[in-house]
Amino acid sequence: MMDKNFVQELQWRGMIQDIMPGTEEKLMEGPQSAYVGIDPTADSLHIGHLVSVMILKHFQRCGHKPYALVGGATGMIGDPSMKSAERNLLDEETLNHNVECIKAQLGRFLDFDSDAPNKAELVNNYDWMKDYSFIGFIRDIGKHITVNYMMAKDSVKKRLSRDSSEGMSFTEFSYQLMQGYDFYWLWKHKGCILQLGGSDQWGNITTGTELIRRMDGGEAFALTCPLIRKADGTKFGKTEKGNIWLDPERTTPYEFYQFWLNVADDDAERYIKIFTMLDRETIEGLIAEHREDPGQRKLQKALAREVTIMCHGEAEYEKALEASRMLFVNATSEALRKLDEKTFLAVFSGVPTFDVKREDLAGGILDLLAVKTAIFPSKGEARKMIQGGGVSLNKDKLTDIDYAVSENDIIDGHYILAQKGKKNYFIINVI
């Protein structure tokens, strides 16, 4: 597969910010190894990690060998790059848990299990740092990088220039030296000649290439991707609820799908190149179709489909697609009842909710809609709209004004979905 140029593949996708001279030529010599560092401060990746993960995926597809480095050691320190405050430090047990969870997620993107010579490997820098004494480290490693060199890095200068009484601790200051040593260790023991990462990591990455040169006279390379922002300049991957996580327990596949489905047109044109493996011809065709008729949102639909399947699988994509139809008239009661509780609540987030005691359901449908809740201002209005075919319960149209509400109408043990007209939804929470 070496006929596929990794650097050119990233270039047309808009995934290169900085690249060290000679990188492309080195990669075209034959299969090489590279790594991306991942911070294990949570037990799940979020979509902010996806750019680096996708770069590793392209790297493997082009015939090279990817390493995912989970920073069990550096995660105990915290990276000062682009941060305004020092991170909370994590204990070893928490970090080990996070590492296992992240490895499982990475398996959706990278081939760890085949017999291919370029199968991916996961490494943890805690393995080579845990027994390194402080004296040994500053003697063996620290003497090769000057304080002047470290102070010149943008990540350090920006942090020190901020008007903050906290300043930067020695712990944080030492981070780039530890990350530089990671690169050296992987270069020496695993043959990694390239480190990949976000553009905010350029200073730390080049410290590694410098350490390799000074310690062993070796050659190594660096490539970074741009930090992704929305077209309006705001931060990518954040919503009112916070990060969009890959863990379905943190962000449901439905919410995940909806995030991509609702991106702006300009963002969709960039994101489909970065976050999918669709080829250039297919993507350019989708962009052309979208520009002809933006209202169809073909680009967003393709983007949401590809990323959701890649992260959660085909079955979860189909469920998310079905759930997204819930707010429209053609959704069925059967489809509604298939939703798990988290997805149900996500679909109808923000819908007016009324708490009703279980014993109060015996009063009948009119009492439920107009007395026990305020869905209708009066029984008369509720009666009239039911008779006119304008009221549904759990997506089934009501026709009987004497309908007896029962346990069979309760979804997930708690909820009844009432619909007035085409667009007005209400959740009855049975307590």
Side-chain angles (χ1 to χ4, degrees):
M1 296 183 69
M2 292 311 299
D3 58 328
K4 191 166 186 179
N5 187 308
F6 171 68
V7 173
Q8 289 181 6
E9 180 72 16
L10 295 192
Q11 282 174 332
W12 79 259
R13 291 179 182 272
M15 296 175 74
I16 296 180
Q17 176 77 25
D18 296 297
I19 182 170
M20 192 171 284
T23 303
E24 182 176 2
E25 292 78 5
K26 183 66 177 178
L27 293 176
M28 291 306 293
E29 291 178 6
Q32 306 292 343
S33 296
Y35 84 98
V36 163
I38 296 172
D39 180 10
T41 48
D43 61 0
S44 173
L45 301 173
H46 55 72
I47 60 174
H49 293 108
L50 272 186
V51 185
S52 294
V53 174
M54 292 301 293
I55 287 178
L56 272 190
K57 188 173 178 68
H58 283 294
F59 191 72
Q60 187 172 41
R61 180 167 283 194
C62 288
H64 303 292
K65 184 177 179 68
Y67 285 85
L69 182 148
V70 182
T74 42
M76 293 180 174
I77 291 178
D79 179 6
S81 302
M82 312 300 285
K83 308 296 189 301
S84 60
E86 188 164 347
R87 293 181 181 177
N88 294 326
L89 308 184
L90 301 179
D91 59 73
E92 187 175 344
E93 183 180 354
T94 302
L95 280 166
N96 288 338
H97 167 74
N98 292 355
V99 167
E100 288 304 310
C101 293
I102 289 170
K103 182 180 181 181
Q105 290 180 341
L106 288 172
R108 284 198 167 272
F109 301 88
L110 302 172
D111 169 23
F112 285 96
D113 302 319
S114 77
D115 295 327
N118 70 325
K119 72 175 183 178
E121 289 188 33
L122 185 133
V123 291
N124 184 344
N125 61 11
Y126 184 72
D127 293 336
W128 57 82
M129 289 301 301
K130 62 184 177 183
D131 296 324
Y132 217 143
S133 72
F134 179 70
I135 292 175
F137 188 79
I138 60 175
R139 179 194 61 208
D140 300 339
I141 311 303
K143 68 181 181 182
H144 294 284
I145 301 294
T146 67
V147 171
N148 306 59
Y149 180 88
M150 295 171 74
M151 292 282 287
K153 298 295 185 181
D154 285 342
S155 59
V156 176
K157 288 194 292 187
K158 287 178 181 178
R159 180 65 185 275
L160 292 176
S161 66
R162 290 191 178 102
D163 183 18
S164 171
S165 59
E166 295 180 5
M168 175 185 278
S169 69
F170 176 77
T171 303
E172 282 194 295
F173 183 62
S174 64
Y175 184 93
Q176 69 165 288
L177 197 57
M178 290 184 68
Q179 185 171 330
Y181 179 66
D182 286 343
F183 198 174
Y184 172 79
W185 194 95
L186 287 168
W187 174 83
K188 190 171 184 67
H189 297 278
K190 297 290 187 179
C192 275
I193 56 94
L194 173 64
Q195 185 178 167
L196 309 161
S199 60
D200 60 331
Q201 291 294 313
W202 181 256
N204 292 338
I205 294 173
T206 53
T207 295
T209 64
E210 187 67 9
L211 195 59
I212 290 166
R213 185 185 69 81
R214 293 185 183 186
M215 290 184 69
D216 280 17
E219 185 180 42
F221 302 89
L223 185 154
T224 64
C225 56
L227 296 181
I228 307 301
R229 290 198 172 272
K230 298 179 185 177
D232 61 8
T234 57
K235 191 170 184 178
F236 164 77
K238 288 279 189 179
T239 67
E240 291 180 2
K241 295 181 179 179
N243 286 321
I244 303 295
W245 299 93
L246 272 57
D247 182 350
E249 295 300 315
R250 289 172 175 256
T251 300
T252 66
Y254 166 77
E255 292 169 315
F256 187 87
Y257 172 80
Q258 287 291 317
F259 171 83
W260 299 101
L261 188 65
N262 290 304
V263 300
D265 290 347
D266 290 344
D267 289 330
E269 290 195 12
R270 291 188 300 125
Y271 294 171
I272 200 163
K273 296 174 184 176
I274 295 169
F275 297 107
T276 79
M277 298 300 287
L278 295 174
D279 60 53
R280 188 170 190 168
E281 183 180 358
T282 300
I283 288 175
E284 289 176 350
L286 284 167
I287 290 174
E289 288 182 40
H290 178 79
R291 288 177 178 176
E292 286 181 9
D293 188 1
Q296 293 291 321
R297 300 182 70 78
K298 286 187 177 181
L299 201 55
Q300 284 91 339
K301 290 175 182 177
L303 170 66
R305 178 185 185 278
E306 292 296 317
V307 184
T308 304
I309 289 175
M310 184 165 53
C311 293
H312 295 293
E314 186 95 34
E316 290 298 333
Y317 162 73
E318 293 294 343
K319 290 179 186 177
L321 190 63
E322 191 67 40
S324 68
R325 297 173 179 145
M326 279 300 137
L327 297 177
F328 300 96
V329 180
N330 60 354
T332 65
S333 174
E334 182 183 3
L336 179 69
R337 291 177 180 276
K338 286 181 180 179
L339 300 181
D340 59 81
E341 184 176 7
K342 285 188 177 181
T343 304
F344 176 89
L345 294 175
V347 170
F348 298 102
S349 175
V351 167
T353 301
F354 300 95
D355 291 337
V356 173
K357 292 180 180 179
R358 200 166 293 263
E359 56 266 28
D360 289 340
L361 298 180
I365 189 63
L366 296 179
D367 188 68
L368 180 64
L369 296 177
V371 178
K372 302 303 179 185
T373 69
I375 295 172
F376 285 91
S378 68
K379 287 186 177 182
E381 288 197 34
R383 180 184 294 108
K384 183 178 179 181
M385 200 159 186
I386 289 172
Q387 290 172 333
V391 179
S392 295
L393 213 62
N394 297 332
K395 288 293 180 178
D396 287 332
K397 194 173 293 294
L398 285 175
T399 56
D400 182 4
I401 58 173
D402 297 318
Y403 181 80
V405 184
S406 70
E407 291 282 340
N408 293 332
D409 295 304
I410 302 174
I411 296 172
D412 289 323
H414 290 287
Y415 311 107
I416 298 173
L417 181 70
Q419 184 177 351
K420 180 170 69 173
K422 290 185 177 181
K423 297 181 179 180
N424 297 309
Y425 289 92
F426 305 87
I427 292 176
I428 300 168
N429 181 31
V430 183
I431 56 177

